[in-house]
Amino acid sequence: MTETATGTDWQSWQESWDRQQEWYMPDREERFRVMLDMVEAVVGPEPRVLDLACGTGSITDRLLKRFPNATSTGVDLDPALLAIARGTFEGDDRVTFVTADLKDPDWTERLPHTSYDAVLTATALHWLHSEPLAALYGQLGGLVRDGGVFMNADHMIDTGTPRINAAERAHRHAAMDRAKAAGALDWAEWWAVAAKDPVLAAPTAERFKIYGEHADGDMPSVDWHARTLVASGFGEARAVWASPSDSLVLAVK
Ligand SMILES: C[S@@+](CC[C@H](N)C(=O)[O-])C[C@H]1O[C@@H](n2cnc3c(N)ncnc32)[C@H](O)[C@@H]1O
């Protein structure tokens, strides 16, 4: 990674994070675009957003580029990804980052606000098993204002279609193998680079103590997400975008 005269080149870390995530999800930017279209459609262009399990703050970055009058709270538990997020947005008073474990029953008490227009999350909640995820959805029911939105873009598996799922997976992995042969970094390789960086080495060691490689969770179906969100106090919920493996579920309070 290159370093600037004033310290770490956070933008390079953002770009390498994006490339690594895109190796798994070539359509990652499209899902962010649809997510922000639906933010604009339901709560308008100046929302107060909670970027849930924000990682390096990828949603916050796209949000502020598109809606400069938006504000964002990013919450995550990973000290290394939060270091990149904090370095990137340093001095931007529209953005606050909070360290919290979404499985902690009191995590919402760490937030600077008690209510949000939009809670947005991507590629993260499959790190939780269904039971803690349902509990988290219950908390989000209290955190999204009436008329506000929750959106989750993630892997969502329909176990009723095993042949489609197997064919889709084999096809996706063949493309990933080709990209890998052309030099793409996967999750483990990206973290090996971070572990060698003078600034990120210590928080990277800490994140491996917290998570191991990453936490184990479930990938329930779109129907499960929609049903659980409605049971958590949202008025309606459904997918607003889908790829062969992933969906973006929107719930309106
Ligand atoms: C694959 S990353 C996605 C990050 C970001 N949303 C993105 O799209 O680039 C998954 C994120 O979920 C976070 N995460 C997983 N479980 C968590 C928990 N229990 N509490 C807080 N954050 C969690 C991880 O630390 C990680 O930053």
Side-chain angles (χ1 to χ4, degrees):
M1 246 350 109
T2 56
E3 306 277 317
T4 65
T6 52
T8 302
D9 183 350
W10 298 115
Q11 206 46 51
S12 291
W13 280 107
Q14 291 289 354
E15 283 159 21
S16 75
W17 173 258
D18 286 345
R19 297 296 86 77
Q20 176 254 110
Q21 287 288 291
E22 285 164 358
W23 181 65
Y24 297 93
M25 292 158 288
D27 49 23
R28 181 166 175 260
E29 287 304 322
E30 192 192 334
R31 68 187 69 189
F32 287 149
R33 179 185 62 74
V34 176
M35 185 181 265
L36 295 181
D37 280 349
M38 296 314 294
V39 166
E40 187 173 34
V42 185
V43 296
E46 300 189 4
R48 177 192 286 170
V49 166
L50 178 63
D51 182 352
L52 190 75
C54 62
T56 64
S58 301
I59 291 175
T60 295
D61 171 69
R62 277 68 173 172
L63 172 81
L64 296 178
K65 284 185 174 135
R66 182 155 163 190
F67 305 124
N69 293 326
T71 57
S72 180
T73 306
V75 59
D76 204 284
L77 184 60
D78 187 312
L81 298 181
L82 279 173
I84 297 173
R86 289 190 167 109
T88 303
F89 294 96
E90 196 178 357
D92 189 332
D93 59 13
R94 298 170 297 179
V95 185
T96 312
F97 290 103
V98 170
T99 300
D101 184 347
L102 299 175
K103 290 193 266 192
D104 172 356
D106 300 323
W107 73 271
T108 58
E109 289 170 18
R110 297 186 178 213
L111 298 175
H113 306 289
T114 53
S115 168
Y116 286 86
D117 301 312
V119 176
L120 308 177
T121 190
T123 329
L125 299 187
H126 70 272
W127 287 38
L128 271 59
H129 287 291
S130 302
E131 204 176 308
L133 180 54
L136 176 65
Y137 279 180
Q139 292 175 304
L140 297 183
L143 207 52
V144 173
R145 68 151 167 93
D146 285 348
V149 290
F150 167 69
M151 275 183 258
N152 177 16
D154 206 354
H155 314 308
M156 297 186 190
I157 293 179
D158 184 338
T159 52
T161 58
R163 283 190 296 162
I164 298 172
N165 300 353
E168 177 284 315
R169 189 175 190 285
H171 186 261
R172 178 161 41 90
H173 278 262
M176 288 164 78
D177 289 347
R178 289 193 297 275
K180 192 78 178 291
L185 289 190
D186 68 16
W187 178 262
E189 291 163 337
W190 189 87
W191 280 110
V193 176
K196 290 199 197 107
D197 182 79
V199 174
L200 292 178
T204 297
E206 212 184 311
R207 65 93 45 208
F208 274 93
K209 278 191 214 146
I210 296 170
Y211 287 120
E213 184 145 325
H214 55 70
D216 268 348
D218 296 326
M219 297 181 193
S221 66
V222 169
D223 281 354
W224 183 94
H225 285 278
R227 222 179 326 113
T228 308
L229 287 162
V230 169
S232 304
F234 290 87
E236 47 187 76
R238 70 165 169 87
V240 289
W241 175 91
S243 74
S245 59
D246 289 29
S247 293
L248 169 60
V249 167
L250 181 160
V252 180
K253 179 82 179 296

